[in-house]
Amino acid sequence: MANTLKHTKGSWKKVRIAHTKAEKVKWAIVKKSNNITVVDSIPRQADANLIAEAPDMLSALISCDKHFADLEDRFGLELSQKILRDLVRAIIKQATK
């Protein structure tokens, strides 16, 4: 499976931001690369957590896909493994389109 990533590669970190004491706390996703900082404001901490971990989760899914391909080449896959492999591939495709 070819992997052409079209997103800003990790690693990212989340930081807490607020401009004034009265302002609701917001979260930002920060990526520093080549002296450029990419920041996106995220209103909910849970969303910021998920987004910050997305590169690692995508990497794990790509590793799973490679593992399934190896298993399939060596032993074949059972139906439940094929279903899981297809789900992994669909998520990777959605994340990298």
XYZ file of all heavy atoms in Angstrom:
764
model
N 0.839 -1.181 0.000
C 0.000 0.000 0.000
C 0.884 1.243 0.000
O 1.674 1.443 0.907
C -0.892 -0.047 1.240
C -1.692 1.185 1.473
S -2.739 1.009 2.927
C -4.216 1.663 2.258
N 0.771 2.056 -1.011
C 1.568 3.278 -1.090
C 1.058 4.273 -0.059
O -0.130 4.391 0.186
C 1.463 3.872 -2.486
N 1.982 5.002 0.544
C 1.592 5.955 1.571
C 2.130 7.333 1.200
O 3.303 7.602 1.350
C 2.119 5.509 2.931
C 1.649 6.424 4.033
O 0.630 7.075 3.889
N 2.377 6.475 5.106
N 1.259 8.181 0.683
C 1.644 9.545 0.363
C 0.900 10.466 1.318
O -0.283 10.721 1.148
C 1.298 9.885 -1.100
O -0.079 9.608 -1.311
C 2.135 9.062 -2.063
N 1.589 10.925 2.337
C 0.956 11.742 3.364
C 0.752 13.162 2.863
O 1.645 13.752 2.280
C 1.818 11.741 4.631
C 2.072 10.373 5.240
C 2.975 10.504 6.458
C 0.784 9.699 5.627
N -0.426 13.699 3.131
C -0.755 15.052 2.700
C -1.059 15.957 3.884
O -1.703 16.962 3.743
C -1.957 15.004 1.752
C -1.677 14.224 0.492
C -2.897 14.142 -0.376
C -2.600 13.266 -1.575
N -3.756 12.947 -2.354
N -0.590 15.571 5.055
C -0.837 16.383 6.240
C 0.510 16.838 6.816
O 1.556 16.403 6.362
C -1.605 15.578 7.297
C -0.852 14.378 7.767
N -0.823 13.195 7.068
C -0.070 14.185 8.863
C -0.071 12.328 7.705
N 0.406 12.908 8.795
N 0.460 17.723 7.773
C 1.672 18.157 8.447
C 2.138 17.033 9.347
O 1.429 16.650 10.279
C 1.405 19.432 9.285
O 0.869 20.434 8.430
C 2.682 19.922 9.923
N 3.298 16.475 9.063
C 3.792 15.347 9.841
C 4.080 15.780 11.275
O 4.479 16.909 11.533
C 5.072 14.794 9.214
C 4.831 14.106 7.892
C 6.105 13.488 7.380
C 5.855 12.832 6.042
N 7.062 12.215 5.508
N 3.882 14.831 12.223
C 4.187 15.071 13.627
C 5.685 15.084 13.814
O 6.425 14.961 12.883
N 6.173 15.322 14.964
C 5.373 15.292 16.164
C 4.796 16.674 16.461
O 5.406 17.680 16.173
C 6.201 14.808 17.339
O 7.211 15.741 17.661
N 3.625 16.657 17.042
C 2.945 17.876 17.432
C 2.868 17.906 18.942
O 2.995 16.898 19.613
C 1.523 17.909 16.874
C 1.429 17.733 15.390
C 2.399 18.003 14.466
C 0.303 17.255 14.668
N 1.928 17.717 13.211
C 0.653 17.252 13.299
C -0.948 16.824 15.027
C -0.220 16.858 12.300
C -1.818 16.422 14.030
C -1.460 16.441 12.688
N 2.615 19.065 19.488
C 2.332 19.141 20.918
C 1.158 20.079 21.130
O 0.891 20.952 20.311
C 3.549 19.573 21.720
C 4.001 20.983 21.473
C 5.188 21.318 22.363
C 5.580 22.770 22.177
N 6.635 23.169 23.075
N 0.465 19.849 22.223
C -0.660 20.735 22.531
C -0.213 21.707 23.614
O 0.583 21.365 24.488
C -1.888 19.950 22.967
C -1.776 19.384 24.318
C -3.042 18.708 24.743
C -2.647 18.008 25.995
N -3.345 17.850 27.054
N -0.682 22.919 23.514
C -0.385 23.946 24.513
C -1.673 24.658 24.876
O -2.574 24.811 24.053
C 0.667 24.965 24.005
C 2.021 24.313 23.814
C 0.220 25.639 22.733
N -1.742 25.083 26.117
C -2.915 25.809 26.619
C -2.748 27.281 26.293
O -1.689 27.855 26.536
C -2.978 25.589 28.127
C -4.178 26.127 28.782
C -4.103 25.787 30.258
N -5.080 26.553 30.958
C -5.668 26.165 32.063
N -5.326 25.028 32.607
N -6.572 26.909 32.628
N -3.791 27.893 25.733
C -3.718 29.318 25.407
C -4.962 30.039 25.908
O -6.041 29.477 25.974
C -3.568 29.561 23.885
C -4.721 28.913 23.106
C -2.234 29.068 23.377
C -4.738 29.247 21.628
N -4.793 31.284 26.271
C -5.895 32.184 26.626
C -5.319 33.596 26.582
O -4.209 33.825 27.055
C -6.458 31.873 27.993
N -6.052 34.504 26.006
C -5.533 35.868 25.874
C -5.810 36.715 27.108
O -5.032 37.591 27.445
C -6.108 36.530 24.621
C -5.697 35.840 23.366
N -4.403 35.849 22.907
C -6.390 35.080 22.495
C -4.327 35.138 21.797
N -5.523 34.657 21.528
N -6.923 36.475 27.777
C -7.241 37.225 28.993
C -7.762 36.249 30.038
O -8.135 35.123 29.727
C -8.337 38.284 28.725
O -9.550 37.609 28.422
C -7.961 39.212 27.597
N -7.807 36.685 31.296
C -8.318 35.813 32.360
C -9.785 35.468 32.143
O -10.235 34.393 32.512
C -8.127 36.474 33.723
C -6.703 36.468 34.194
C -6.600 37.011 35.597
C -5.163 36.938 36.063
N -5.008 37.348 37.447
N -10.548 36.386 31.550
C -11.977 36.159 31.335
C -12.237 35.215 30.158
O -13.293 34.604 30.083
C -12.674 37.490 31.096
N -11.266 35.115 29.288
C -11.463 34.281 28.099
C -11.393 32.804 28.458
O -10.613 32.390 29.310
C -10.375 34.604 27.064
C -10.572 33.911 25.755
C -9.484 34.295 24.756
O -8.400 34.696 25.176
O -9.754 34.161 23.571
N -12.234 32.021 27.807
C -12.207 30.581 27.997
C -10.863 30.023 27.551
O -10.287 30.476 26.572
C -13.295 29.933 27.142
C -14.462 29.394 27.894
C -15.419 28.740 26.932
C -15.850 27.414 27.487
N -16.899 26.795 26.727
N -10.391 29.038 28.260
C -9.141 28.398 27.873
C -9.329 27.686 26.541
O -10.343 27.031 26.307
C -8.685 27.385 28.953
C -7.507 26.567 28.474
C -8.359 28.107 30.234
N -8.375 27.844 25.667
C -8.364 27.132 24.396
C -7.066 26.350 24.323
O -6.136 26.584 25.077
C -8.453 28.101 23.217
C -9.790 28.774 23.093
C -9.843 29.644 21.858
C -11.178 30.343 21.766
N -11.244 31.265 20.657
N -7.024 25.437 23.411
C -5.835 24.607 23.207
C -5.325 24.844 21.806
O -6.082 25.101 20.889
C -6.180 23.137 23.425
C -6.603 22.907 24.832
C -7.865 23.031 25.332
C -5.773 22.607 25.927
N -7.865 22.803 26.682
C -6.586 22.521 27.076
C -4.411 22.359 26.069
C -6.092 22.229 28.326
C -3.914 22.060 27.316
C -4.747 22.003 28.438
N -4.030 24.776 21.638
C -3.428 24.929 20.314
C -2.575 23.709 20.024
O -1.976 23.126 20.918
C -2.568 26.182 20.257
N -2.544 23.343 18.772
C -1.668 22.290 18.296
C -0.501 22.998 17.621
O -0.691 23.825 16.741
C -2.391 21.368 17.292
C -3.632 20.761 17.945
C -1.451 20.304 16.765
C -3.361 19.947 19.189
N 0.710 22.671 18.056
C 1.900 23.380 17.593
C 2.862 22.390 16.946
O 3.111 21.320 17.486
C 2.600 24.097 18.767
C 3.850 24.816 18.294
C 1.648 25.068 19.437
N 3.408 22.762 15.827
C 4.431 21.984 15.131
C 5.515 22.953 14.709
O 5.244 23.919 14.019
C 3.824 21.292 13.908
C 4.805 20.816 12.875
C 5.528 19.579 13.304
C 6.441 19.096 12.186
N 7.340 18.091 12.583
N 6.733 22.724 15.159
C 7.854 23.556 14.738
C 8.644 22.808 13.685
O 9.034 21.673 13.879
C 8.744 23.881 15.927
C 8.425 25.199 16.543
C 9.567 25.688 17.377
C 9.447 27.174 17.328
N 10.165 27.978 18.130
N 8.864 23.452 12.558
C 9.609 22.828 11.474
C 10.278 23.915 10.650
O 9.636 24.855 10.207
C 8.641 22.026 10.601
O 9.317 21.504 9.496
N 11.583 23.779 10.453
C 12.331 24.748 9.644
C 12.044 26.194 10.060
O 11.779 27.044 9.231
C 12.027 24.561 8.155
C 12.423 23.193 7.666
O 13.365 22.593 8.178
N 11.706 22.680 6.687
N 12.069 26.435 11.359
C 11.831 27.768 11.930
C 10.448 28.328 11.639
O 10.222 29.515 11.723
C 12.905 28.761 11.462
C 14.274 28.358 11.932
O 14.427 27.830 13.032
N 15.273 28.576 11.103
N 9.505 27.460 11.281
C 8.120 27.873 11.063
C 7.269 27.167 12.104
O 7.408 25.977 12.329
C 7.630 27.473 9.653
C 8.470 28.182 8.589
C 6.154 27.785 9.476
C 8.219 27.677 7.191
N 6.394 27.897 12.759
C 5.494 27.294 13.730
C 4.092 27.282 13.155
O 3.578 28.317 12.752
C 5.510 28.082 15.053
O 6.844 28.126 15.541
C 4.613 27.438 16.086
N 3.508 26.105 13.095
C 2.132 25.945 12.630
C 1.263 25.814 13.871
O 1.503 24.966 14.715
C 1.985 24.678 11.756
C 0.541 24.492 11.329
C 2.917 24.751 10.556
N 0.268 26.667 14.009
C -0.602 26.638 15.183
C -2.048 26.608 14.721
O -2.437 27.328 13.815
C -0.368 27.885 16.076
C -1.308 27.874 17.262
C 1.072 27.975 16.526
N -2.836 25.761 15.380
C -4.272 25.725 15.112
C -4.984 25.745 16.456
O -4.671 24.959 17.337
C -4.641 24.466 14.326
C -6.032 24.551 13.736
O -6.663 25.616 13.848
O -6.479 23.559 13.167
N -5.917 26.661 16.636
C -6.642 26.791 17.899
C -7.754 25.751 17.977
O -8.535 25.591 17.046
C -7.241 28.194 18.001
O -8.018 28.305 19.162
N -7.792 25.033 19.090
C -8.770 23.967 19.313
C -9.534 24.311 20.597
O -8.926 24.505 21.644
C -8.063 22.598 19.498
C -7.052 22.334 18.383
C -9.080 21.482 19.634
C -7.615 22.206 17.010
N -10.875 24.367 20.560
C -11.618 24.807 21.742
C -11.706 23.782 22.877
O -11.860 24.165 24.021
C -13.010 25.133 21.200
C -13.118 24.373 19.936
C -11.737 24.216 19.397
N -11.597 22.483 22.594
C -11.762 21.473 23.649
C -10.476 20.694 23.857
O -9.832 20.269 22.904
C -12.885 20.505 23.272
C -14.247 21.186 23.235
C -15.395 20.228 22.950
N -15.300 19.050 23.787
C -15.469 17.805 23.337
N -15.728 17.580 22.077
N -15.384 16.773 24.161
N -10.115 20.471 25.123
C -8.885 19.763 25.439
C -8.885 18.342 24.872
O -7.879 17.876 24.340
C -8.659 19.709 26.940
C -7.362 19.009 27.298
C -7.094 18.957 28.793
O -7.894 19.428 29.589
N -5.969 18.394 29.154
N -10.017 17.646 24.955
C -10.074 16.272 24.446
C -9.773 16.238 22.950
O -9.079 15.332 22.473
C -11.442 15.659 24.734
N -10.287 17.211 22.207
C -10.002 17.278 20.771
C -8.522 17.557 20.532
O -7.905 16.962 19.649
C -10.847 18.367 20.101
C -12.328 18.040 20.107
O -12.683 16.847 20.260
O -13.138 18.970 19.971
N -7.954 18.463 21.316
C -6.531 18.783 21.182
C -5.674 17.556 21.480
O -4.692 17.287 20.785
C -6.150 19.933 22.107
N -6.050 16.792 22.514
C -5.314 15.568 22.842
C -5.322 14.610 21.663
O -4.285 14.051 21.281
C -5.928 14.857 24.054
C -5.772 15.629 25.340
O -4.974 16.542 25.444
N -6.559 15.262 26.326
N -6.492 14.393 21.097
C -6.644 13.463 19.980
C -5.840 13.929 18.765
O -5.122 13.143 18.143
C -8.125 13.319 19.618
C -8.455 12.340 18.507
C -8.028 10.924 18.878
C -9.946 12.372 18.225
N -5.940 15.193 18.439
C -5.230 15.728 17.282
C -3.718 15.655 17.489
O -2.977 15.282 16.573
C -5.687 17.173 16.980
C -7.145 17.153 16.500
C -4.779 17.840 15.956
C -7.811 18.512 16.481
N -3.258 15.969 18.683
C -1.821 15.928 18.958
C -1.254 14.520 18.818
O -0.108 14.343 18.429
C -1.535 16.479 20.352
N -2.066 13.517 19.122
C -1.604 12.123 19.037
C -1.846 11.492 17.665
O -1.399 10.365 17.412
C -2.294 11.283 20.113
C -1.916 11.691 21.523
C -0.410 11.658 21.782
O 0.271 10.719 21.308
O 0.095 12.570 22.442
N -2.516 12.203 16.774
C -2.862 11.646 15.466
C -1.670 11.108 14.673
O -1.766 10.026 14.089
C -3.638 12.675 14.640
N -0.524 11.799 14.616
C 0.600 11.240 13.856
C 1.061 9.880 14.390
O 1.362 8.974 13.609
C 1.702 12.292 14.004
C 0.969 13.564 14.244
C -0.221 13.159 15.085
N 1.095 9.734 15.708
C 1.496 8.448 16.292
C 0.461 7.369 16.020
O 0.803 6.208 15.764
C 1.729 8.577 17.799
C 2.956 9.403 18.130
O 3.865 9.497 17.273
O 3.016 9.946 19.246
N -0.824 7.738 16.072
C -1.870 6.756 15.790
C -1.817 6.319 14.326
O -1.958 5.132 14.024
C -3.246 7.329 16.139
C -3.442 7.480 17.644
S -5.119 7.944 18.114
C -5.180 9.646 17.603
N -1.577 7.252 13.417
C -1.460 6.904 12.008
C -0.259 5.990 11.783
O -0.348 4.992 11.065
C -1.346 8.160 11.136
C -1.195 7.914 9.642
C -2.364 7.107 9.081
C -1.057 9.236 8.906
N 0.837 6.304 12.422
C 2.030 5.457 12.312
C 1.745 4.039 12.809
O 2.171 3.053 12.196
C 3.174 6.086 13.105
O 4.321 5.286 13.031
N 1.007 3.927 13.901
C 0.651 2.601 14.438
C -0.239 1.840 13.456
O -0.061 0.628 13.264
C -0.045 2.753 15.787
N -1.187 2.530 12.832
C -2.052 1.879 11.855
C -1.268 1.412 10.631
O -1.515 0.324 10.098
C -3.187 2.812 11.433
C -4.270 3.028 12.484
C -5.195 4.159 12.061
C -5.055 1.756 12.724
N -0.315 2.206 10.190
C 0.525 1.813 9.060
C 1.346 0.579 9.423
O 1.485 -0.347 8.617
C 1.413 2.991 8.598
C 0.525 4.077 7.969
C 2.491 2.531 7.623
C 1.224 5.400 7.723
N 1.845 0.521 10.650
C 2.568 -0.668 11.116
C 1.655 -1.887 11.139
O 2.071 -2.990 10.758
C 3.156 -0.431 12.510
O 4.161 0.543 12.464
N 0.418 -1.703 11.596
C -0.559 -2.812 11.594
C -0.804 -3.308 10.178
O -0.862 -4.520 9.940
C -1.885 -2.362 12.208
S -1.859 -2.180 13.985
N -0.945 -2.384 9.229
C -1.183 -2.769 7.847
C -0.008 -3.591 7.313
O -0.208 -4.609 6.643
C -1.425 -1.537 6.989
C -1.782 -1.904 5.566
O -2.629 -2.789 5.354
O -1.185 -1.315 4.651
N 1.214 -3.183 7.616
C 2.397 -3.937 7.182
C 2.404 -5.327 7.816
O 2.765 -6.313 7.166
C 3.667 -3.170 7.530
C 3.868 -1.937 6.677
C 5.094 -1.159 7.098
C 5.211 0.121 6.284
N 6.320 0.951 6.728
N 2.013 -5.402 9.071
C 1.958 -6.687 9.765
C 0.919 -7.604 9.110
O 1.183 -8.788 8.880
C 1.628 -6.476 11.249
C 1.519 -7.738 12.028
N 2.598 -8.537 12.312
C 0.448 -8.345 12.581
C 2.200 -9.588 13.002
N 0.887 -9.489 13.186
N -0.259 -7.054 8.798
C -1.284 -7.850 8.121
C -0.785 -8.340 6.764
O -1.031 -9.483 6.372
C -2.581 -7.053 7.942
C -3.448 -7.024 9.159
C -3.830 -5.823 9.732
C -3.904 -8.195 9.740
C -4.644 -5.792 10.854
C -4.721 -8.175 10.865
C -5.086 -6.965 11.425
N -0.084 -7.469 6.021
C 0.438 -7.874 4.716
C 1.429 -9.025 4.869
O 1.409 -9.988 4.089
C 1.100 -6.684 4.025
N 2.279 -8.951 5.884
C 3.247 -10.022 6.143
C 2.537 -11.329 6.509
O 2.869 -12.394 5.994
C 4.207 -9.602 7.256
C 5.260 -10.662 7.534
O 5.922 -11.108 6.578
O 5.417 -11.040 8.720
N 1.555 -11.228 7.392
C 0.790 -12.422 7.772
C 0.086 -13.043 6.572
O 0.073 -14.262 6.407
C -0.260 -12.073 8.835
C 0.212 -11.870 10.262
C -0.965 -11.456 11.142
C 0.851 -13.138 10.799
N -0.507 -12.178 5.750
C -1.239 -12.672 4.591
C -0.298 -13.394 3.624
O -0.622 -14.454 3.100
C -1.948 -11.518 3.881
C -2.872 -11.973 2.768
C -3.748 -10.845 2.264
O -3.327 -9.671 2.322
O -4.862 -11.145 1.803
N 0.889 -12.827 3.398
C 1.869 -13.453 2.513
C 2.332 -14.801 3.045
O 2.528 -15.745 2.286
C 3.090 -12.548 2.316
C 2.786 -11.327 1.468
O 1.739 -11.305 0.790
O 3.604 -10.385 1.491
N 2.513 -14.883 4.355
C 3.083 -16.093 4.944
C 2.056 -17.179 5.257
O 2.323 -18.359 5.074
C 3.850 -15.720 6.212
C 5.092 -14.878 5.894
C 5.780 -14.307 7.102
N 6.232 -15.353 8.001
C 6.464 -15.164 9.301
N 6.283 -13.972 9.822
N 6.873 -16.139 10.056
N 0.884 -16.765 5.752
C -0.068 -17.756 6.256
C -1.482 -17.611 5.697
O -2.318 -18.473 5.899
C -0.173 -17.675 7.786
C 1.146 -17.742 8.489
C 1.654 -16.632 9.132
C 1.885 -18.913 8.504
C 2.875 -16.692 9.797
C 3.105 -18.987 9.161
C 3.602 -17.872 9.806
N -1.775 -16.496 5.068
C -3.155 -16.195 4.715
C -3.847 -15.563 5.912
O -3.318 -15.574 7.023
N -4.996 -14.997 5.703
C -5.735 -14.348 6.781
C -7.099 -15.000 6.945
O -7.736 -15.386 5.975
C -5.934 -12.853 6.496
C -4.695 -11.972 6.443
C -5.091 -10.544 6.073
C -3.938 -11.977 7.757
N -7.537 -15.077 8.195
C -8.901 -15.520 8.479
C -9.839 -14.354 8.207
O -9.412 -13.199 8.113
C -9.009 -15.967 9.933
C -8.181 -17.192 10.245
C -8.283 -17.624 11.695
O -9.141 -17.081 12.420
O -7.504 -18.500 12.092
N -11.122 -14.645 8.110
C -12.107 -13.609 7.791
C -12.037 -12.434 8.764
O -12.033 -11.273 8.349
C -13.521 -14.200 7.770
C -14.648 -13.208 7.464
C -14.439 -12.562 6.086
C -15.998 -13.892 7.538
N -11.952 -12.710 10.056
C -11.916 -11.621 11.043
C -10.665 -10.755 10.862
O -10.717 -9.539 11.039
C -11.973 -12.173 12.467
O -10.852 -13.003 12.721
N -9.552 -11.370 10.483
C -8.322 -10.611 10.238
C -8.458 -9.757 8.978
O -7.975 -8.626 8.942
C -7.132 -11.561 10.104
C -6.786 -12.261 11.409
C -5.786 -13.381 11.203
O -5.890 -14.162 10.259
N -4.819 -13.471 12.104
N -9.119 -10.298 7.954
C -9.336 -9.532 6.725
C -10.222 -8.315 6.988
O -9.989 -7.236 6.456
C -9.963 -10.412 5.644
C -9.011 -11.433 5.072
C -9.697 -12.287 4.027
C -8.741 -13.338 3.496
N -9.373 -14.193 2.490
N -11.241 -8.516 7.810
C -12.134 -7.403 8.150
C -11.363 -6.308 8.884
O -11.489 -5.124 8.565
C -13.335 -7.902 8.990
C -14.237 -8.780 8.119
C -14.112 -6.735 9.594
C -15.297 -9.546 8.895
N -10.546 -6.701 9.851
C -9.749 -5.729 10.598
C -8.730 -5.045 9.685
O -8.550 -3.827 9.741
C -9.051 -6.406 11.779
C -8.290 -5.496 12.727
C -9.171 -4.383 13.270
C -7.707 -6.311 13.873
N -8.066 -5.810 8.812
C -7.105 -5.236 7.864
C -7.786 -4.202 6.982
O -7.262 -3.103 6.767
C -6.496 -6.336 7.006
C -5.526 -5.796 5.949
C -5.434 -6.653 4.704
N -6.749 -6.885 4.125
C -7.015 -7.910 3.326
N -6.095 -8.815 3.050
N -8.222 -8.055 2.811
N -8.971 -4.532 6.474
C -9.695 -3.598 5.602
C -10.091 -2.327 6.350
O -10.047 -1.230 5.791
C -10.922 -4.277 4.999
C -10.549 -5.381 4.000
O -9.372 -5.453 3.579
O -11.453 -6.176 3.658
N -10.460 -2.474 7.616
C -10.789 -1.306 8.433
C -9.557 -0.429 8.631
O -9.624 0.793 8.481
C -11.356 -1.753 9.785
C -11.686 -0.647 10.788
C -12.745 0.302 10.226
C -12.165 -1.250 12.093
N -8.434 -1.041 8.944
C -7.175 -0.298 9.116
C -6.839 0.457 7.833
O -6.503 1.645 7.859
C -6.032 -1.254 9.529
C -4.665 -0.604 9.357
C -6.223 -1.729 10.956
N -6.948 -0.221 6.703
C -6.629 0.422 5.422
C -7.588 1.561 5.097
O -7.171 2.591 4.556
C -6.634 -0.615 4.303
C -5.427 -1.513 4.379
C -5.374 -2.515 3.270
N -4.138 -3.282 3.378
C -3.839 -4.310 2.612
N -4.678 -4.711 1.675
N -2.695 -4.942 2.772
N -8.853 1.404 5.435
C -9.826 2.471 5.182
C -9.512 3.694 6.034
O -9.618 4.840 5.553
C -11.241 1.964 5.472
N -9.108 3.485 7.278
C -8.761 4.613 8.148
C -7.518 5.314 7.637
O -7.454 6.553 7.607
C -8.596 4.138 9.609
C -9.931 3.644 10.162
C -8.027 5.259 10.472
C -9.825 2.902 11.473
N -6.504 4.541 7.224
C -5.287 5.134 6.672
C -5.622 5.965 5.424
O -5.154 7.093 5.273
C -4.243 4.047 6.342
C -3.721 3.397 7.614
C -3.088 4.640 5.519
C -2.893 2.143 7.373
N -6.441 5.402 4.553
C -6.827 6.112 3.327
C -7.536 7.418 3.652
O -7.245 8.455 3.063
C -7.726 5.209 2.472
C -8.102 5.816 1.147
C -8.931 4.844 0.329
C -9.317 5.482 -1.006
N -10.123 4.573 -1.820
N -8.460 7.367 4.604
C -9.202 8.575 4.986
C -8.269 9.625 5.593
O -8.391 10.811 5.320
C -10.305 8.200 5.994
C -11.168 9.348 6.414
C -12.059 9.878 5.298
O -12.388 9.179 4.354
N -12.443 11.128 5.399
N -7.316 9.167 6.396
C -6.403 10.098 7.076
C -5.367 10.706 6.153
O -4.822 11.775 6.460
C -5.693 9.372 8.227
N -5.097 10.058 5.024
C -4.022 10.535 4.152
C -4.512 11.093 2.820
O -3.706 11.413 1.967
C -3.002 9.400 3.883
O -3.675 8.284 3.296
C -2.311 8.979 5.154
N -5.832 11.224 2.672
C -6.322 11.749 1.387
C -6.262 13.257 1.322
O -6.125 13.941 2.264
C -7.729 11.255 1.093
C -8.814 11.847 1.955
C -10.136 11.336 1.484
C -11.245 11.995 2.270
N -12.543 11.620 1.811
